[in-house]
């Protein structure tokens, strides 16, 4: 009986395991997979990050060409001014009339701008790279600005001659050297062989050439020097000129040598007068008025 029970249990166990391992066949199902023969350009995948792109396939349009210059637009020898005199120019426009009268009171009440300009001059002296025009303009403007500064240091006064040794006072340091007005006129400007400087620099006096109410610049220097000379000679309070007689400013006596570099004094004068003066013209010199040019 015992053995019969064990046999029954074994048979039941075998039947269960057999059922678990039996595979029931299923009817076969098929699924159609579409075949892609070509990928449209519009959905082309971008390159993976960090991958290289063939640069030959990317066309970048060229920038537009600049407009072609006309012949008269080309300036081969143009150079900017070596020194900016615009601050001095503004002061001259503000405090000097077209006839050359100077408002020293106005200058005195606004000393900062002139001081800044002079300080700029003294810290930016001409170098060997500067051309002749830039050097001339620099020293002409410097002489005139320092003359105004000298007057202001002693203002009020009736004449520059009220100041002791006005042209010999070394009040201004340019670089490592102290200068006076005589240094600038005689050691610098006169040695540049330009006699017309005598009508551009001023001595703050009635009989001097007028202080121009614009700064001298290299780009306009030739025109400015010529105009200053023409104006001085045409001023009958300073020069009286006719064919056979001339009454001249003493400037032509003091600096006679400067005006005779390329001929006689008459030759020089005839370049800038409307009257042709005879070489045999009678010559004399007018009294010099040292009153302040205000």
């Amino acid at each position: 009986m015992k053995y019969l029970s064990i046999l029954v249990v074994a048979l039941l166990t075998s039947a269960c395991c057999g059922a678990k391992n039996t595979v029931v066949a299923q009817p076969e199902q098929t699924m159609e997979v579409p075949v892609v023969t070509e990928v449209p350009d519009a959905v082309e995948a971008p390159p993976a990050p960090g991958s290289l792109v063939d640069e030959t396939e990317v066309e970048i349009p060229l920038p537009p060409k600049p407009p072609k210059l006309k012949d008269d637009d080309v300036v081969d020898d143009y150079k900017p001014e070596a020194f900016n005199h615009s601050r001095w120019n503004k002061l001259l426009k503000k405090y000097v009339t077209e006839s050359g009268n100077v408002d020293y009171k106005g200058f005195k009440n606004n000393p900062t701008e002139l001081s800044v300009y002079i300080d700029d001059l003294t810290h930016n002296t001409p170098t060997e790279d500067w051309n002749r025009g830039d050097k001339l303009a620099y020293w002409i403007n410097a002489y005139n600005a320092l003359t105004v500064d000298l007057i202001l240091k002693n203002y009020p006064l009736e004449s520059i001659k009220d100041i002791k040794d006005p042209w010999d006072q070394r009040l201004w340091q340019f670089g490592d050297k102290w200068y006076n007005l005589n240094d600038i006129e005689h050691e610098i400007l006169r040695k540049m062989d330009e006699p017309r400087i005598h009508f551009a620099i001023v001595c703050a006096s009635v009989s001097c050439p007028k202080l121009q109410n614009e700064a001298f610049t290299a780009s306009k220097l030739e025109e400015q020097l010529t105009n200053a000379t023409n104006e001085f000679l045409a001023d009958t309070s300073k020069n009286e000129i006719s064919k056979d007689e001339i009454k001249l400013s003493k400037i032509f006596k003091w600096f006679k040598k400067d005006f005779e570099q390329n001929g006689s004094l008459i030759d020089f004068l005839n370049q800038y007068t409307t009257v042709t003066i005879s070489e045999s013209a009678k010559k004399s010199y007018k009294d010099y008025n040292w009153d302040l040019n205000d």
Side-chain angles (χ1 to χ4, degrees), residues 114-115 118-119 121-122 139 142-151 153-154 165-184:
L114 180 60
S115 295
I118 292 174
D119 184 69
L121 286 171
T122 61
W139 287 114
Y143 186 96
N144 290 340
L146 299 185
T147 299
V148 171
D149 188 48
L150 177 67
I151 297 298
K153 290 179 187 300
N154 297 274
D165 301 323
W167 296 284
D168 291 317
Q169 294 193 25
R170 286 194 168 85
L171 302 173
W172 308 277
Q173 185 178 8
F174 287 70
D176 58 357
K177 181 178 178 181
W178 288 86
Y179 282 80
N180 59 34
L181 294 173
N182 271 336
D183 292 330
I184 296 173

Side-chain angles (χ1 to χ4, degrees), residues 78-125:
Y78 172 75
K79 290 183 179 180
E81 303 284 343
F83 188 93
N84 186 347
H85 297 285
S86 60
R87 190 183 299 274
W88 177 233
N89 190 68
K90 289 178 182 177
L91 288 170
L92 293 171
K93 294 291 185 187
K94 187 173 183 178
Y95 297 118
V96 181
T97 67
E98 288 190 9
S99 59
N101 297 106
V102 183
D103 179 9
Y104 291 107
K105 289 182 180 178
F107 268 112
K108 188 78 172 178
N109 292 331
N110 183 24
T112 304
E113 287 297 301
L114 180 60
S115 295
V116 170
Y117 175 68
I118 292 174
D119 184 69
D120 199 14
L121 286 171
T122 61
H123 287 88
N124 296 279
T125 54

Side-chain angles (χ1 to χ4, degrees), residues 180-230:
N180 59 34
L181 294 173
N182 271 336
D183 292 330
I184 296 173
E185 180 176 10
H186 302 296
E187 300 303 319
I188 298 175
L189 284 170
R190 290 185 66 195
K191 289 185 176 181
M192 296 183 75
D193 297 326
E194 176 49 83
R196 292 174 298 175
I197 57 117
H198 293 295
F199 314 115
I201 59 176
V202 301
C203 58
S205 303
V206 170
S207 287
C208 283
K210 76 176 191 179
L211 177 59
Q212 301 289 329
N213 70 338
E214 72 171 1
F216 287 86
T217 60
S219 59
K220 297 172 60 179
L221 189 62
E222 179 62 29
E223 176 188 353
Q224 289 174 317
L225 289 175
T226 297
N227 288 342
T229 306
N230 289 336

Side-chain angles (χ1 to χ4, degrees), residues 34-52:
V35 179
V36 179
T37 59
E38 184 177 353
V39 178
D41 293 339
V43 295
E44 183 176 351
S51 63
L52 296 177

